[in-house]
């Protein structure tokens, strides 16, 4: 049977633009996977997805009109149950045969084959392959059922009686196998060969598709529709770049906005518009957000990344004279920008400090009080962080004391004011601007250098890959804010579960980890967590153990995402390093050590030593008596430890972790000789304890940087 390419399209009313990309990908992938599973298409058959505002489609190459028949061997039942003593079929066997469409005539053809400890009867049969009509109907039903639909709507069919449920009302179904229509039905529709073109630009409203391979071209030429989501998106990118280049500007980079706009137009036409320059006095974040979120426009930036008064729109029509379209969009955006300017002007009439009492009227959490309570806790935690930084500073000079006093004062002021922009009109309209607007208003008031930046940055990092706070005050405040959230919510038992994390605690944890690691702060994570608890008074239980474990899990996930192996991460985190800034250095050292020829042997030996020491009852002996070193191998190991240990320790104290581990490579030969020639668990108690003490010293020397046993295969 010759194969033909297959095309299927469901024509609907406008689909949700933010969901269109996923809807198109799911529809094509599920339908194609079902055809392949049924044997109607080869496993490697090319699949092309189509998704426009009013259609979901898929093109599958080399689809057979009928799947090949399949031979199958069906197990019926044990011989002891199926046949009588004289070999006749029992009623149970006849009933089973009837259930699979056979009768007593096939009994002589049944096969007796081993089945565990007994024998069973098996029926050889041929399962007819599905026809394309049957298989495609099944695939279509499955594809529609599995669509990631944001919200289903119920609508009435043309008969006036029947109701169906789908994401949007469906009006046409197109199904072609080569040039032939495949008889399908769904959502009250019968498959045909026609579809509908662009609402306004199509050369003809109804587009007849003569062959599955002509679909995209016919829609583009006759229907003025670019059916492929990816092609339409690429065309928008091309036109945006070209239009921006004419102005010597750059369109804002926003992948989500690109996807959404691609879901709004069937044939894109990019046009350049502008607004009055007086609006540029408003913070550009406000203008950019209102243009993107409300109007789906692409603001244009100059070479320095500053907003200009020009922007790009992606129109769904391409009239010969586009002036009316341009003027209409300019007219629509003007009130939006005027609102932003009004909010900005009104907000600046009140100081941030005057808004502080209002935080007491904003509920943060039923068990944790108001935003005012929260601000006081953040202040207390920020003070504790500065205190811990003081204690970690060596030498602590008079100059350092003055710097920390200033840092503490700035952090206290920034913590008090950081949440006040939640009470402003601008943040009320655009919650995404919290922190950012606080920074603008603080600068307008002329607050101390660094405080405004800290207020703006205290939510950072907001997402993976986001920048970290830019100054010391912002770093302290960002840590304090995230620790307050983590300690508070863990303290009342509000933990993330599965994929549910309503308070973004995983993001807060990663934020703390990134700040500590990437800024290499001399702070101890357990002490940080413990130091935040007193700020809550009697409101919470101490969550340190659960929270420490949660932070460790987040750190492990983050490190694996960065490309470290599970063994490398386990080796370093097994020692529960308190200084997270050391973790990258330790990982690099472990990776360098693992490349040494001695690494595998030492890792295996370290694992063996650990297992031996785990079985020792009571406290581990720590003192080695040279007089009890009876065997040459144990004396040689002791001598090697005395020589290598201090070198490795000195390098460790200097944070040269790679050098410390490399020094340990010299222990390979004496360690191997020890295990070849020495019985650790000697009958003599004194000898046994002395050898255990030697292994204990070896274990401690080898596991300062990481638990090397984790590297053993």
């Amino acid at each position: 049977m010759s194969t033909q390419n297959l095309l299927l399209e469901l024509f609907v009313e406008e689909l949700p633009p933010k969901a269109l990309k996923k809807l198109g990908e799911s529809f094509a992938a599920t339908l194609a996977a079902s055809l392949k599973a049924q044997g109607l298409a080869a496993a490697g058959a090319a699949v092309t997805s189509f998704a426009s505002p009013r259609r979901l489609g898929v093109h599958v190459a080399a689809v057979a009109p009928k799947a090949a028949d399949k031979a199958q061997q069906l197990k019926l039942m044990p011989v002891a149950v199926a046949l009588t003593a004289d070999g006749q079929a029992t009623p149970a066997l006849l009933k089973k045969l009837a259930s699979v469409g056979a009768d007593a005539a096939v009994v002589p053809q049944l096969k007796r084959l081993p089945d565990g400890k007994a024998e069973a009867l098996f029926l050889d049969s041929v399962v007819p392959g599905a026809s394309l009509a049957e298989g495609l109907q099944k695939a279509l039903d499955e594809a529609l059922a599995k669509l990631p639909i944001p919200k289903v709507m119920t609508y009435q069919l043309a008969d006036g009686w029947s109701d169906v449920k789908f994401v949007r009302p469906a009006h046409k179904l197109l199904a072609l196998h080569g040039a032939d229509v495949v008889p399908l039905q769904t959502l009250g529709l019968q498959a045909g060969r026609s579809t509908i073109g662009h609402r306004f630009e199509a050369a003809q409203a109804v587009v007849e598709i003569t062959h599955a391979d002509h679909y995209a071209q016919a829609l583009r030429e006759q229907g003025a529709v670019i059916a492929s989501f990816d092609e339409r998106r690429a065309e928008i990118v091309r036109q945006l770049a070209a239009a921006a280049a004419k102005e010597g500007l750059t369109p804002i980079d926003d992948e989500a906005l690109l996807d959404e706009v691609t879901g709004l137009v069937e044939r894109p036409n990019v046009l350049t518009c502008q607004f009055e320059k007086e609006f540029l006095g408003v913070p550009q974040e406000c203008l950019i957000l209102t243009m993107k979120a409300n109007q789906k426009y692409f603001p244009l930036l100059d070479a320095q990344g500053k907003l200009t008064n020009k922007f790009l729109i992606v129109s769904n029509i391409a009239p010969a004279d586009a002036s009316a379209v341009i003027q209409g969009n300019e007219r629509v955006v003007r009130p939006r920008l005027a609102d932003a300017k009004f909010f900005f002007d009104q907000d600046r009439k009140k100081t941030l400090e005057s808004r502080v009492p209002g935080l007491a009227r904003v509920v943060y959490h039923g068990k944790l009080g108001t935003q005012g309570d929260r601000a006081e806790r953040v202040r207390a935690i920020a003070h504790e962080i500065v205190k811990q930084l003081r204690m970690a500073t060596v030498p602590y000079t008079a100059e350092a004391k003055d710097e920390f006093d200033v840092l503490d004062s700035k952090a206290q002021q920034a913590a008090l004011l950081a949440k006040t922009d939640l009470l402003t009109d601008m943040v009320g309209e655009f919650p995404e601007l919290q922190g950012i607007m606080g920074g603008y208003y603080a600068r307008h008031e002329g607050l101390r250098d660094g405080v405004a930046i800290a207020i703006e940055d205290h939510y950072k990092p907001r997402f993976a890959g986001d920048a970290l706070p830019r100054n010391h005050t912002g770093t302290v405040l960002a840590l304090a804010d995230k620790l307050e959230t983590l300690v508070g919510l863990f303290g009342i038992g509000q933990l993330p579960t599965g994929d549910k994390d309503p308070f973004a605690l995983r993001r807060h944890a990663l934020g703390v980890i990134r700040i500590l690691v990437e800024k290499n702060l001399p702070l101890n994570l357990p002490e940080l967590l413990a130091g935040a608890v007193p700020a809550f008074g009697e409101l919470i239980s101490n969550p340190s153990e659960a929270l420490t474990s949660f932070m460790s899990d987040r750190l492990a996930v983050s490190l694996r995402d960065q490309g470290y192996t599970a063994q490398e991460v386990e080796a370093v985190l097994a020692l529960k390093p308190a200084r997270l800034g050391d973790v990258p250095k330790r990982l690099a050292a472990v990776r360098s050590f693992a490349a040494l020829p001695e690494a595998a042997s030492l890792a295996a030996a370290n694992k063996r030593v650990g297992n031996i020491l785990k079985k020792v009852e009571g406290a581990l002996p720590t003192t080695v008596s040279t007089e009890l070193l009876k065997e040459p191998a144990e004396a040689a190991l002791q001598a090697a430890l005395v020589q290598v240990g201090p070198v490795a320790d000195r390098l460790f104290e200097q944070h040269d972790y790679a050098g410390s581990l490399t020094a340990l490579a010299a222990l390979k030969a004496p360690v191997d000789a020890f295990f070849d020639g020495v019985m650790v668990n000697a009958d003599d108690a004194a000898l046994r304890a002395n050898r255990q003490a030697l292994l204990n010293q070896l274990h401690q020397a080898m596991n300062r940087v990481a638990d090397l046993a984790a590297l053993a295969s």
Side-chain angles (χ1 to χ4, degrees), residues 530-553:
V533 174
F536 291 85
E538 302 297 321
L539 285 178
I540 66 170
S541 302
N542 192 332
S544 57
E545 186 175 341
L547 185 49
T548 300
S549 176
F550 176 75
M551 298 289 287
S552 180
D553 289 344

Side-chain angles (χ1 to χ4, degrees), residues 111-444:
K111 292 183 178 179
R112 297 173 61 146
L113 298 173
D115 184 44
K117 295 182 179 180
E119 283 188 322
L121 288 184
F122 291 81
L123 172 65
D124 287 337
S125 62
V126 175
V127 179
S131 68
L132 177 58
E134 296 169 342
L136 186 54
Q137 183 69 61
K138 178 182 177 182
L140 175 59
D141 293 343
E142 187 177 343
L144 295 181
K146 291 185 176 181
L147 278 179
I149 297 175
K151 190 175 182 180
V152 173
M153 65 179 295
T154 302
Y155 62 94
Q156 197 173 61
L157 297 179
D159 62 13
W161 295 98
S162 307
D163 287 341
V164 294
K165 292 182 178 181
F166 194 52
V167 58
R168 292 291 186 269
H171 296 297
K172 272 188 172 295
L173 178 64
L174 186 159
L176 291 177
H177 186 230
D180 300 325
V181 174
V182 183
L184 300 179
Q185 60 180 11
T186 193
L187 303 174
L189 303 171
Q190 300 291 330
R193 65 170 63 251
S194 66
T195 185
I196 306 295
H198 194 288
R199 284 187 186 276
F200 311 109
E201 304 280 327
Q204 52 194 68
V206 178
V207 180
E208 294 289 326
I209 309 298
T210 58
H211 192 281
D213 294 344
H214 300 165
Y215 170 76
Q217 183 179 355
L219 256 185
R220 184 188 289 264
E221 294 176 354
Q222 301 172 38
V225 172
I226 301 176
S228 166
F229 186 95
D230 291 340
E231 287 183 25
R232 207 163 57 254
R233 190 181 193 275
E235 176 62 15
I236 292 173
V237 170
R238 186 193 68 77
Q239 290 190 35
L240 287 173
K246 286 183 180 179
E247 305 292 335
L249 303 172
T250 304
I252 197 161
D253 184 15
D254 191 318
E255 296 296 311
L257 179 61
L258 261 176
D259 285 344
E260 186 175 1
V261 171
T262 304
L264 285 168
V265 299
E266 290 189 311
R267 188 176 72 168
N269 179 34
V270 172
L271 301 170
T272 304
C273 305
Q274 62 183 359
F275 57 82
E276 291 78 0
K277 288 186 177 180
E278 66 183 75
F279 290 120
L280 293 176
V282 179
Q284 70 176 40
E285 291 89 347
C286 308
L287 304 181
I288 290 172
L289 186 58
T290 192
M291 283 192 282
K292 291 197 310 181
N294 295 322
Q295 306 304 134
K296 316 306 175 190
Y297 296 158
F298 288 84
L300 288 174
L301 310 177
D302 64 18
Q304 287 72 46
K306 290 187 177 181
L307 181 68
T308 69
N309 69 319
K310 296 186 177 181
F311 60 94
L312 301 177
I313 67 167
V314 183
S315 174
N316 195 34
I317 57 175
D321 180 5
S323 59
V325 178
I326 292 171
Q327 291 168 11
N329 280 277
E330 291 176 344
R331 186 171 60 252
V332 167
V333 79
R334 196 171 294 117
R336 294 286 188 179
L337 302 182
D339 286 346
K341 184 176 185 302
F342 175 78
F343 293 148
F344 185 56
D345 292 340
Q346 288 298 110
D347 286 343
R348 288 182 295 170
K349 292 178 180 180
K350 292 181 65 175
T351 65
L352 294 179
E353 188 171 358
S354 71
R355 298 180 187 274
V356 171
L359 291 175
R361 297 189 293 273
V362 180
V363 175
Y364 166 55
H365 190 284
K367 294 182 179 180
L368 295 174
T370 66
Q371 288 288 359
D373 299 325
R374 188 182 182 202
E376 289 301 324
R377 291 195 294 266
V378 172
R379 288 182 75 185
I381 296 169
H383 177 71
E384 174 64 23
I385 292 170
V386 175
K387 176 184 172 183
Q388 292 186 24
L389 285 169
R390 286 180 193 265
M391 296 174 65
T393 300
V394 179
Y396 186 60
T397 62
E399 194 174 82
K401 178 183 182 303
D402 291 341
E403 291 178 357
F404 279 117
D405 286 345
V406 172
L407 176 60
D408 192 27
S409 176
K410 287 183 178 179
Q412 295 292 297
Q413 184 183 20
L416 179 68
L417 303 178
K419 302 299 180 185
T420 54
D421 68 353
L422 296 175
L423 304 176
T424 63
D425 292 338
M426 188 69 83
V427 174
E429 180 72 13
F430 300 112
E432 302 94 329
L433 295 178
Q434 56 188 285
I436 294 171
M437 294 314 303
Y440 274 106
Y441 298 141
R443 278 188 287 274
H444 171 72

Side-chain angles (χ1 to χ4, degrees), residues 553 555-567 569-570 573:
D553 289 344
L555 176 58
V557 170
S558 174
L559 293 172
R560 289 196 293 270
D561 288 344
Q562 293 173 46
Y564 294 104
T565 67
Q567 290 80 8
V569 172
E570 182 185 351
L573 298 191

Side-chain angles (χ1 to χ4, degrees), residues 606-648:
N606 188 59
K607 186 174 184 179
R608 184 175 179 182
V609 170
N611 290 335
I612 291 171
L613 295 179
K614 285 177 186 177
K615 297 176 182 178
V616 175
E617 296 181 1
L620 287 172
T622 57
T623 304
V624 176
S625 169
T626 55
E627 295 179 357
L628 292 175
L629 298 174
K630 302 298 185 183
E631 300 291 339
E634 58 184 330
L637 178 56
Q638 167 67 3
L641 265 179
V642 170
Q643 182 179 5
V644 171
V647 175

Side-chain angles (χ1 to χ4, degrees), residues 59-83:
H59 181 277
V60 184
V63 175
K66 181 179 180 297
D69 296 342
K70 288 184 179 180
Q72 74 169 9
Q73 191 171 70
L74 178 66
K75 177 184 173 182
L76 298 174
M77 60 181 59
V79 171
V81 178
L83 302 176

